[in-house]
Amino acid sequence: MTVTIKDVAREANVSVATVSRALNGQHNVAEAVRRRVQVVAERLRYIPHHAARSLSSRRTRTIGVVLPEVHGEFFSELMFGIDQVAREHGLHLLVSSYHGDPREQGDALRSMRGRVDGLLVMSPYDDVDGHLADALAMLPNAVLISSHLSLPGKCRIGIDNHAGARAMVAHLVALGHERIAFVSGPQGNHEAEERLRGYRDGLAELLPRSAPWVLQGDFHEGSGERAVQSLLAGPSLPDAVFAANDMMALGCLSAFSAAGLTVPVDIALAGFDDIPLARHVPPGLTTMRVDIAALGADAMRRLLAPVGDGQSDDGLRQPQLVVRASTGMARVSPDSS
Amino acid sequence: MTVTIKDVAREANVSVATVSRALNGQHNVAEAVRRRVQVVAERLRYIPHHAARSLSSRRTRTIGVVLPEVHGEFFSELMFGIDQVAREHGLHLLVSSYHGDPREQGDALRSMRGRVDGLLVMSPYDDVDGHLADALAMLPNAVLISSHLSLPGKCRIGIDNHAGARAMVAHLVALGHERIAFVSGPQGNHEAEERLRGYRDGLAELLPRSAPWVLQGDFHEGSGERAVQSLLAGPSLPDAVFAANDMMALGCLSAFSAAGLTVPVDIALAGFDDIPLARHVPPGLTTMRVDIAALGADAMRRLLAPVGDGQSDDGLRQPQLVVRASTGMARVSPDSS
DNA sequence: CTGAAAGCGCTTACAG
DNA sequence: CTGAAAGCGCTTACAG
């Protein structure tokens, strides 16, 4: 039914070895023969069978991408950056998400065996039972994104969440806010915990008299809405709400709006990540820019870089403060002499 | 280096055939033997080599997904729906985007040969040179999403964009708007053209004295912003802006806000798709709900359904009007006797 | 219930 | 420059 390399060889009066060499651009083929083979292959609409090729060549030209989930703008941006570099190199992407479940993550990783030449793994969760380390040990080269773990021989790439959260607190304090509530990310998520730690440290340093005010969230929009609803049900509102990511900040915004509160007039709001919508949603969300697409692209380039090329440089990327209208203007105008 | 089925066979004192059968859950294996094999496989951390398996079994347990792009909430939602069904069936996803370029689309499809058991192809663009039809002819079963083409033996699934756009015009007219501008999607995109046609037809029918007012867009946020900027530069504003998708509507919203105009007080705004953010962005975007995730999930289920099971039922899904605050209240209150 | 063997469709030393 | 042959790691009739 489907045409194989044998059919091409027969039609072109050469051996299958020659067909393989001709089509793969090897140099030890007479140009006339190569042309003939190409013409025949074209006419027969021959497409090499991938599994056969990768079984014998031990290469798949595919990179596996294992993510906590595929939902939302953050992952969309990350995939975008990864995809860019992949297509520059003619590589395919095998995508798998594990829904925050460590066991599923292990399965996802294991099932990549023999399917990929390399792996990009985003794993912000604690590797409590060592599933991740185990699975990774027997897989080809991998780059870890936003991971807690440092695995021997594996390169890691991430962002400085602690410094970022601290910088945002500093920004809010500089605007004169004193009661700053924080909507956290999910527990056990290393990025979420670093952001929380940055918030606490920033507060302790800059507003030592102000106690931390933390509302539990989970990085999804809905938890931002619920956090605001619980604030509205309380005795008083904070001056500012700092959400541990933009998705939750959007949820907060929506809940404020539903309650008739205007950001930033009635309350200031800040997020983290700078997803594309942060700039598009009125009034414009102040946030810490991570450049998610660049993070994905860099991870991919790292994976493709020759081994030994400064592999496990663990340098964290510094997020940048992006001030938009949602944090408003200074409440207490500073001495501007 | 890596452990293969031979190693397991040797350690377990059985043939490779028996290992294969034991691990694949075939019934013709003594339970004691199966257990022994499983224990050895576990101890050796054996993982079957995918390429080898799929070469001999002619199955890959992988579904190829070919999309115009991977960027943005629409695709994120679509992938989410597809991923759900894929994991229910233990299938992997090989994702490829072609950036709206028909030639790249052909390449993407071709390179799926021998890698996938089935294909989900979203192809809203015209297949001018037949690349799509060609490539699809030699591939395993496929489901086309939102495609113009009806290919023999291929199932198609899509939404009724014409009816949806018409319904939105009807909604805007019912609210008393008379000058309704439309921000279109990219040319050559079948979905965009159907929505435009729905707008024109709705207008011709319901507001016969009102000429169409079309601004060219491309389905991205930026083109929504630019459309509004060009409106602001013109002599007068419409009563309402209907963007051919939500992303552009968000761009419009942002541009209105930047210009100091409030939606819906100063101008009404509507989109199409109902991406998750449509409900979360203040003031809440009126839109046509497509249920994108369900579209992806259904396409996947269709692909997995037994052949002949009503395969090329071309029934279009009807989008639902979702009224939120962005279209505001009726300008001219109707006779409410 | 189990094993020996053929075969899946390629690539790649090895000869020539 | 070209071909015959081995081999990649599995699965699956075919015998027994």
Side-chain angles (χ1 to χ4, degrees):
Chain A
M1 184 64 209
T2 63
V3 14
T4 75
I5 196 171
K6 273 190 191 166
D7 301 311
V8 178
R10 186 177 356 90
E11 293 284 310
N13 282 312
V14 290
S15 70
V16 296
T18 298
V19 174
S20 172
R21 285 189 283 247
L23 262 26
N24 287 319
Q26 314 265 65
H27 285 289
N28 48 356
V29 181
E31 266 316 305
V33 174
R34 183 195 306 280
R35 220 120 44 194
R36 179 150 45 97
V37 170
Q38 280 168 339
V39 168
V40 172
E42 185 103 353
R43 176 160 57 79
L44 263 38
R45 300 187 177 290
Y46 167 66
I47 305 170
H49 189 283
H50 173 260
R53 172 181 288 195
S54 74
L55 179 58
S56 52
S57 69
R58 328 292 300 157
R59 312 184 59 223
T60 64
R61 306 219 41 87
T62 302
I63 300 297
V65 183
V66 179
L67 303 175
E69 46 185 312
V70 292
H71 216 183
E73 279 226 315
F74 184 93
F75 295 100
S76 164
E77 279 296 292
L78 192 70
M79 284 302 298
F80 179 67
I82 292 171
D83 182 61
Q84 293 264 302
V85 180
R87 60 192 314 117
E88 280 169 21
H89 293 261
L91 296 169
H92 281 253
L93 257 27
L94 191 65
V95 180
S96 190
S97 67
Y98 57 87
H99 300 182
D101 178 342
R103 193 158 4 213
E104 275 203 56
Q105 184 182 210
D107 291 346
L109 287 169
R110 248 183 306 280
S111 70
M112 294 276 174
R113 188 196 163 201
R115 315 181 81 128
V116 300
D117 296 335
L119 228 33
L120 252 33
V121 184
M122 174 154 176
S123 191
Y125 294 94
D126 296 338
D127 188 32
V128 272
D129 30 18
H131 276 97
L132 175 61
D134 265 19
L136 240 34
M138 51 192 332
L139 280 163
N141 58 328
V143 168
L144 294 172
I145 303 176
S146 299
S147 177
H148 199 174
L149 290 65
S150 78
L151 259 29
K154 306 296 178 192
C155 169
R156 203 165 50 152
I157 186 168
I159 54 180
D160 195 336
N161 293 295
H162 179 263
R166 232 163 131 269
M168 183 57 82
V169 171
H171 168 65
L172 293 169
V173 170
L175 291 177
H177 300 299
E178 303 205 328
R179 293 162 49 83
I180 303 171
F182 183 77
V183 186
S184 74
Q187 285 176 328
N189 180 309
H190 184 241
E191 296 207 279
E193 280 164 6
E194 282 296 289
R195 291 177 189 182
L196 175 58
R197 202 167 62 82
Y199 160 76
R200 287 186 191 279
D201 289 355
L203 216 59
E205 189 177 325
L206 302 167
L207 284 179
R209 290 172 310 183
S210 176
W213 185 349
V214 177
L215 300 147
Q216 179 73 45
D218 62 10
F219 274 167
H220 295 285
E221 286 160 21
S223 69
E225 289 185 281
R226 286 189 296 275
V228 165
Q229 282 152 7
S230 79
L231 285 176
L232 292 168
S236 70
L237 287 179
D239 303 331
V241 171
F242 173 19
N245 77 353
D246 287 349
M247 289 307 278
M248 294 196 297
L250 293 178
C252 293
L253 191 62
S254 165
F256 283 137
S257 168
L261 293 174
T262 303
V263 171
V265 180
D266 300 311
I267 192 161
L269 179 65
F272 202 118
D273 281 345
D274 197 25
I275 61 176
L277 271 151
R279 93 169 55 217
H280 287 289
V281 59
L285 184 66
T286 293
T287 186
M288 295 304 301
R289 158 179 280 271
V290 164
D291 201 342
I292 310 162
L295 182 70
D298 278 6
M300 191 71 169
R301 287 203 197 88
R302 254 339 215 307
L303 186 63
L304 268 26
V307 182
D309 179 13
Q311 275 303 301
S312 46
D313 156 20
D314 278 334
L316 292 178
R317 310 162 69 85
Q318 290 301 325
Q320 305 297 321
L321 176 67
V322 178
V323 180
R324 299 202 180 95
S326 74
T327 41
M329 276 173 288
R331 294 217 149 174
V332 179
S333 54
D335 274 352
S336 55
S337 63
Chain B
M1 185 64 211
T2 63
V3 13
T4 74
I5 197 171
K6 274 189 191 167
D7 301 312
V8 179
R10 188 177 353 92
E11 293 284 311
N13 281 311
V14 291
S15 69
V16 296
T18 298
V19 174
S20 172
R21 286 189 281 248
L23 262 26
N24 287 318
Q26 315 264 66
H27 285 290
N28 47 355
V29 180
E31 265 315 306
V33 174
R34 184 196 305 281
R35 219 119 47 194
R36 178 151 45 97
V37 170
Q38 280 168 339
V39 168
V40 172
E42 184 104 354
R43 177 160 57 79
L44 263 37
R45 300 188 176 289
Y46 167 66
I47 305 170
H49 190 284
H50 173 260
R53 170 181 289 195
S54 73
L55 179 59
S56 52
S57 69
R58 328 293 298 158
R59 311 185 59 223
T60 63
R61 306 219 41 88
T62 302
I63 300 298
V65 183
V66 180
L67 303 175
E69 46 186 313
V70 293
H71 216 182
E73 280 226 313
F74 184 93
F75 296 100
S76 163
E77 279 295 292
L78 192 69
M79 285 301 299
F80 180 67
I82 293 171
D83 182 60
Q84 293 265 303
V85 180
R87 62 193 312 116
E88 278 169 20
H89 293 260
L91 296 169
H92 281 253
L93 258 25
L94 191 64
V95 180
S96 189
S97 67
Y98 57 87
H99 300 182
D101 180 340
R103 192 156 7 211
E104 275 203 56
Q105 184 182 210
D107 291 347
L109 287 170
R110 249 184 305 279
S111 70
M112 293 277 172
R113 187 197 164 200
R115 313 181 83 128
V116 301
D117 297 334
L119 228 34
L120 251 33
V121 184
M122 174 155 176
S123 191
Y125 293 95
D126 295 338
D127 188 31
V128 273
D129 31 19
H131 276 96
L132 175 61
D134 266 19
L136 239 35
M138 49 192 334
L139 280 163
N141 57 328
V143 168
L144 295 172
I145 303 177
S146 299
S147 176
H148 198 173
L149 289 67
S150 78
L151 258 31
K154 306 295 179 193
C155 168
R156 203 164 50 152
I157 186 168
I159 55 180
D160 194 336
N161 293 295
H162 178 263
R166 230 162 132 271
M168 184 57 83
V169 171
H171 168 65
L172 293 169
V173 169
L175 290 176
H177 300 300
E178 302 205 328
R179 293 161 49 82
I180 303 170
F182 183 77
V183 186
S184 74
Q187 285 175 328
N189 181 309
H190 184 240
E191 296 208 279
E193 282 165 5
E194 282 294 290
R195 291 177 188 182
L196 175 57
R197 203 166 63 80
Y199 161 76
R200 287 187 192 279
D201 289 354
L203 217 58
E205 188 177 325
L206 301 167
L207 285 179
R209 291 171 311 184
S210 177
W213 185 349
V214 178
L215 299 148
Q216 179 73 45
D218 63 10
F219 275 166
H220 295 285
E221 285 160 21
S223 69
E225 289 185 281
R226 286 189 297 274
V228 165
Q229 282 152 8
S230 79
L231 284 177
L232 292 167
S236 70
L237 288 179
D239 303 330
V241 171
F242 173 19
N245 76 353
D246 288 348
M247 289 307 278
M248 295 195 297
L250 293 178
C252 294
L253 191 62
S254 164
F256 283 136
S257 167
L261 293 175
T262 303
V263 171
V265 181
D266 299 312
I267 192 162
L269 178 65
F272 201 117
D273 282 344
D274 197 25
I275 61 177
L277 270 149
R279 94 170 54 216
H280 287 290
V281 58
L285 183 66
T286 294
T287 186
M288 296 303 303
R289 159 180 280 269
V290 165
D291 200 342
I292 310 163
L295 182 69
D298 278 6
M300 191 70 168
R301 287 203 197 90
R302 253 341 213 306
L303 186 63
L304 269 27
V307 183
D309 180 13
Q311 274 303 299
S312 45
D313 156 21
D314 277 333
L316 292 176
R317 309 161 69 84
Q318 290 302 325
Q320 304 297 322
L321 175 67
V322 179
V323 180
R324 298 201 180 95
S326 74
T327 40
M329 276 172 289
R331 293 216 150 175
V332 179
S333 54
D335 274 351
S336 54
S337 63

